[in-house]
Amino acid sequence: MHLYLHIPFCKQACHYCDFHFSTSLDKKEEMVSAIVKEMAMQKDYLNASPLKSIYFGGGTPSLLTKGELARIFEAIHTQYSVDADAEITLEANPDDIDSKALATWKATGINRLSVGIQSFDGQQLKFMNRSHDAKQAENCIKQAQDAGFDNFSLDLIYGIPSESHEIWQQNLEKALAFDIKHLSAYCLTIEEKTVFGHRLKKKKMQPIDEELSAKQFEMLLSETEKWGLEQYEISNFSKPGFHAQHNTSYWFGEPYLGIGPSAHSFNGKQRQWNLANNALYIKHILSENKLPFEQENLSSTERANELIMTQLRTKWGLNVYQLEEFGLDLNAFEKSLLLFEEQGLVQNKSGRLTLSGKGKLQADYIASELFFD
């Protein structure tokens, strides 16, 4: 079982981000109190199963103070059993990383960092409205390594508008030269309710260049292979033994509990999600003693389609025999699958489906065509 905690605060809004957060830190102390209380209210959701992973996401969890982190960890260990070798990840921004913060995180039990570098180029960082600069992007990696954080991941973004691929090549070389154990690389997307989304609507920004993004994805595959990182999911690469246990649990449909505003939970058959409003989340929990979530029961079709969407993205692939457990008619699925095999987009080895290199560029399309109606 797995635990996710959403910390909904940021210093400033990145122009591409559509996650739930607030740039006002006024309610941070109350939010921590509400998160602590929600953990007690939700303690039976995971049926007392030990936690294999804990993930602090956001927002920007690295904004939490030493005292706030201590309160949250005390609540975790009070309400849940935690495996001795549990992966405990904190998302961190480069400008929040210093020797004091690193020592605090290590002392609280955090054993993995996910650092939002996004780019080592100053102009690209300004374009995305990131809160750190190019120098901080490089310095924070060395600081984390010196503090003993061997298990950490870097995030990079490709497909950023550019006249050439030179900056992306430099970003990859800089990141990989640090001998990192994990890299997450995402194509820039323009979501409707973001600054970039508004700019695109007003024609102050061009749509993402798909040809440029596809070429940079190919460069990503080439460079990570050269440096000994395995692509174990379309956007994630790691050295052996360093793949993200928490994220992998999502892709394989393992139960998890989400705490905090907008956080999602899944118990195998039902999905629920908390209200994405800081003030109302705090009010419901602290003042009204209510859990502010909506819930849905997943049909066999929905559960099967989720497996197709998530497992097909991984190196382990989709187990066709697992789909048979849902009692669905596989005829349409098998016809679409055969077509993708003939096109060289999907490989079928004894009922285990994986995407080819060419197929990975069309992963979402292939999954949607394999979906059950």
Side-chain angles (χ1 to χ4, degrees):
M1 306 298 176
H2 309 270
L3 178 65
Y4 172 82
L5 300 108
H6 189 79
I7 311 301
F9 300 104
C10 289
K11 292 177 182 176
Q12 62 191 50
C14 299
H15 289 341
Y16 56 84
C17 181
D18 70 340
F19 291 134
H20 172 67
F21 67 92
S22 171
T23 54
S24 171
L25 307 185
D26 292 346
K27 295 184 181 295
K28 188 151 71 81
E29 188 173 339
E30 289 179 273
M31 180 62 69
V32 171
S33 295
I35 284 172
V36 166
K37 185 173 180 180
E38 189 192 354
M39 278 192 273
M41 297 169 74
Q42 297 266 41
K43 65 179 180 180
D44 296 325
Y45 187 83
L46 298 178
N47 297 319
S49 299
L51 297 177
K52 298 178 182 177
S53 72
I54 300 168
Y55 194 101
F56 288 81
T60 311
S62 52
L63 290 176
L64 291 171
T65 66
K66 181 178 181 179
E68 290 164 345
L69 272 173
R71 287 186 64 197
I72 292 173
F73 271 103
E74 181 182 5
I76 291 172
H77 289 287
T78 298
Q79 305 299 340
Y80 310 108
S81 171
V82 181
D83 278 352
D85 59 349
E87 176 192 86
I88 305 176
T89 303
L90 178 91
E91 289 184 352
N93 273 357
D95 46 309
D96 293 327
I97 295 177
D98 57 32
S99 58
K100 185 178 179 180
L102 290 162
T104 294
W105 298 337
K106 208 163 188 62
T108 57
I110 292 164
N111 53 32
R112 183 176 183 271
L113 296 180
S114 178
V115 186
I117 298 290
Q118 314 311 0
S119 176
F120 292 99
D121 180 78
Q123 287 301 115
Q124 288 192 341
L125 292 171
K126 288 180 181 178
F127 171 71
M128 293 184 285
N129 201 39
R130 293 293 291 165
S131 59
H132 66 278
D133 58 32
K135 185 176 181 180
Q136 288 170 319
E138 293 191 47
N139 289 347
C140 73
I141 302 172
K142 185 69 165 58
Q143 287 178 304
Q145 290 174 326
D146 289 345
F149 277 100
D150 188 45
N151 186 9
F152 68 93
S153 174
L154 300 186
D155 285 2
L156 293 179
I157 292 178
Y158 62 93
I160 299 170
S162 177
E163 295 180 359
S164 72
H165 302 295
E166 183 179 356
I167 295 175
W168 177 236
Q169 181 67 33
Q170 292 172 352
N171 281 339
L172 286 171
E173 290 176 355
K174 283 186 178 181
L176 296 169
F178 280 102
D179 191 30
I180 58 175
K181 302 299 188 292
H182 191 282
L183 173 68
S184 295
Y186 305 100
C187 182
L188 180 65
T189 56
I190 300 179
E191 304 293 347
E192 184 179 356
K193 295 181 180 180
T194 63
V195 171
F196 283 165
H198 292 303
R199 288 180 182 174
L200 181 64
K201 187 176 181 179
K202 294 180 179 180
K203 298 183 179 180
K204 293 182 178 180
M205 181 176 179
Q206 295 296 318
I208 300 301
D209 186 331
E210 293 185 5
E211 186 175 330
L212 177 136
S213 297
K215 173 60 180 176
Q216 292 188 356
F217 181 72
E218 293 174 357
M219 294 166 64
L220 169 67
L221 298 185
S222 175
E223 287 299 314
T224 49
E225 183 179 9
K226 187 188 304 182
W227 287 84
L229 273 71
E230 178 188 35
Q231 184 185 29
Y232 70 96
E233 193 269 347
I234 286 180
S235 300
N236 288 275
F237 306 77
S238 76
K239 293 286 182 69
F242 285 91
H243 68 265
Q245 296 176 29
H246 187 85
N247 290 345
T248 300
S249 73
Y250 294 157
W251 302 325
F252 282 87
E254 295 179 18
Y256 60 89
L257 171 63
I259 298 290
S262 81
H264 285 231
S265 302
F266 175 65
N267 64 7
K269 295 184 178 180
Q270 293 176 322
R271 191 173 302 286
Q272 66 185 47
W273 55 96
N274 286 345
L275 184 71
N277 182 297
N278 287 2
L280 290 178
Y281 170 83
I282 291 169
K283 178 184 176 184
H284 277 293
I285 291 180
L286 295 185
S287 301
E288 300 175 3
N289 203 37
K290 294 179 181 177
L291 289 170
F293 67 79
E294 294 183 55
Q295 188 179 70
E296 66 174 344
N297 293 315
L298 298 177
S299 66
S300 295
T301 298
E302 289 169 327
R303 290 164 64 194
N305 288 344
E306 284 196 3
L307 285 180
I308 293 171
M309 175 61 75
T310 56
Q311 292 189 8
L312 202 57
R313 294 177 61 89
T314 71
K315 73 167 186 175
W316 303 281
L318 170 67
N319 184 350
V320 176
Y321 301 112
Q322 193 172 354
L323 296 178
E324 295 176 353
E325 299 173 6
F326 296 107
L328 301 170
D329 184 352
L330 296 179
N331 285 331
F333 172 88
E334 290 173 346
K335 287 180 181 177
S336 296
L337 175 60
L338 182 60
L339 180 62
F340 288 135
E341 287 184 72
E342 291 173 349
Q343 295 173 342
L345 300 175
V346 175
Q347 299 160 343
N348 186 352
K349 296 182 180 179
S350 302
R352 180 72 67 173
L353 309 182
T354 56
L355 296 174
S356 66
K358 188 167 62 172
K360 290 172 183 176
L361 290 170
Q362 304 179 54
D364 289 346
Y365 166 71
I366 293 170
S368 66
E369 289 296 303
L370 292 175
F371 280 171
F372 294 92
D373 293 332

